[in-house]
Amino acid sequence: MSRIVTVGAAQLGPVARADTRESVVERLLTLLRQAASEGCQLVVFPELALTSFFPRWYTADRHEIDAWFETEMPGPITKALFEEAQALGVGFSLGYAELTPDGHHYNSQILVGPDGAVVATYRKVHIPGHEHNEPGRPFQHLERYYFEPGPEGFGVWRAFGGVVGMMICNDRRWPETYRVMGLQGVELILCGYNTPIHYPPDPSQDILAGFHNALVMQAGAYQNGTWVVAAAKGGNEEGIEALAQSCIIAPSGQIVSQAYTTGDELIVAQCDLDWCDRYKKTLFDFDRYRMIEHYGRITGQRGAVPPPQPPEEQA
Ligand code: CDT
């Protein structure tokens, strides 16, 4: 018997700074209902789905900062999403800014089961961008100012008949993200992202934003024999163009479904979790083929250490 999970990636178009959380939750509910009508058992929403991508703005005002964050999940506004999902019997994964009771700020994503109960909370590990305001930039990417890295790392959870993991946006660019979950048998990785197309430190990469998005997730899926479901918040948000191209990728590395708009759009795929073993038990049979005695540097050092320069030639 195959283990098919019908999964939707619910892409969002822009969320303006002035948009209320209530209005965003209404959009999420519309996508959730569409997903239920298309037979989805699980719907993935983007990173920081409830608000505009606020790390593009600097503020020193503590209250202004904390207003972007959720102090409970579900809270008074997101409760409607949990209730509707439970009524429909559909699970979901949602990215949001989390302020914990003891004052930690994380870029988080929850996994909620079809019964409306929270299965897990993942906190983003790879925090991109910069720590300090850089007024010379056309816009900020201050994730390293607003968020601490998640301390728990990459867990996986038994849910939806398989082994499920989560990653958030920049995490998807790092092969270690997938491999750490791969080493726990992950079969379905859920990802939300906000990717500005313009990259001020090296604008030559702008034209490659879509290519890089697909490249990293297709490689990660294939090399670990896992499904990857990725939902963007795309389009022109507060004057900044963000990549859309939400996609669902099979363990073969093939994209089986991809969004074709930059707005609110649901894409769906039937993910056969048993398909993972075709890769996990052949080319990527980790236990048989991995050569861990040669991988020490991956956890033993952070930056690259090139060999020493050859001595200058004597005159
Ligand atoms: N949200 C997020 O992680 N975005 C990053 C932008 C990197 S450029 C600072 C990404 O990897 O898409």
Side-chain angles (χ1 to χ4, degrees):
M1 209 178 78
S2 57
R3 288 180 298 141
I4 293 175
V5 190
T6 305
V7 185
Q11 176 174 286
L12 284 178
V15 175
R17 187 172 188 147
D19 288 350
T20 61
R21 302 257 211 306
E22 285 87 344
S23 71
V24 177
V25 168
E26 277 306 318
R27 288 165 62 184
L28 302 182
L29 285 168
T30 300
L31 289 160
L32 184 78
R33 291 181 188 120
Q34 184 189 344
S37 74
E38 294 187 25
C40 290
Q41 296 156 272
L42 172 61
V43 182
V44 182
F45 294 111
E47 174 193 33
L48 302 176
L50 299 169
T51 64
S52 204
F53 188 72
F54 63 85
R56 74 168 65 91
W57 296 297
Y58 174 74
T59 177
D61 185 316
R62 199 70 252 169
H63 293 292
E64 209 182 308
I65 292 172
D66 286 350
W68 293 112
F69 287 75
E70 311 301 313
T71 53
E72 48 182 337
M73 189 57 67
I77 300 170
T78 45
K79 201 160 70 88
L81 185 65
F82 282 71
E83 287 172 353
E84 184 70 354
Q86 186 184 5
L88 295 167
V90 178
F92 68 91
S93 186
L94 175 75
Y96 65 102
E98 178 191 16
L99 174 54
T100 66
D102 53 349
H104 293 285
H105 294 75
Y106 297 118
N107 186 338
S108 301
Q109 185 174 321
I110 39 164
L111 177 62
V112 178
D115 59 353
V118 175
V119 175
T121 303
Y122 166 71
R123 296 175 174 128
K124 185 173 182 176
V125 166
H126 297 99
I127 310 291
H130 45 110
E131 290 83 358
H132 305 292
N133 190 28
E134 296 182 11
R137 285 178 175 246
F139 55 90
Q140 306 297 306
H141 197 110
L142 283 162
E143 284 196 64
R144 294 175 76 86
Y145 174 69
Y146 287 111
F147 302 118
E148 302 159 60
E152 296 97 356
F154 299 102
V156 301
W157 297 271
R158 287 205 176 272
F160 299 91
V163 180
V164 181
M166 291 182 272
M167 62 183 178
I168 302 178
C169 196
N170 189 258
D171 287 324
R172 76 196 190 287
R173 302 189 192 276
W174 299 88
E176 295 86 352
T177 299
Y178 306 83
R179 184 48 52 91
V180 170
M181 288 192 267
L183 286 166
Q184 300 170 82
V186 77
E187 297 173 315
L188 179 61
I189 299 178
L190 315 177
C191 177
Y193 62 92
N194 283 265
T195 295
I197 290 175
H198 179 48
Y199 183 55
D202 177 15
S204 77
Q205 296 181 27
D206 296 2
I207 199 169
L208 302 171
F211 167 65
H212 289 155
N213 183 51
L215 176 73
V216 291
M217 292 195 287
Q218 290 185 260
Y222 168 63
Q223 290 168 345
N224 294 279
T226 181
W227 289 88
V228 174
V229 178
K233 176 138 67 63
N236 190 309
E237 192 178 86
E238 297 288 357
I240 310 300
E241 239 10 279
L243 184 72
Q245 298 182 14
S246 300
C247 53
I248 300 178
I249 300 163
S252 59
Q254 293 166 289
I255 295 176
V256 297
S257 186
Q258 186 167 33
Y260 59 92
T261 73
T262 57
D264 292 12
E265 180 184 343
L266 179 78
I267 59 169
V268 177
Q270 296 206 326
C271 302
D272 183 351
L273 302 183
D274 284 339
W275 204 260
C276 298
D277 271 353
R278 291 180 176 261
Y279 294 87
K280 288 185 193 293
K281 292 198 169 153
T282 60
L283 266 170
F284 296 110
D285 180 340
F286 289 170
D287 197 39
R288 182 168 184 194
Y289 294 120
R290 289 181 79 244
M291 299 296 289
I292 55 174
E293 57 274 44
H294 300 299
Y295 303 159
R297 283 184 187 274
I298 288 174
T299 54
Q301 68 189 61
R302 181 175 292 148
V305 183
Q309 293 282 2
E312 296 272 327
E313 293 228 358
Q314 297 292 324

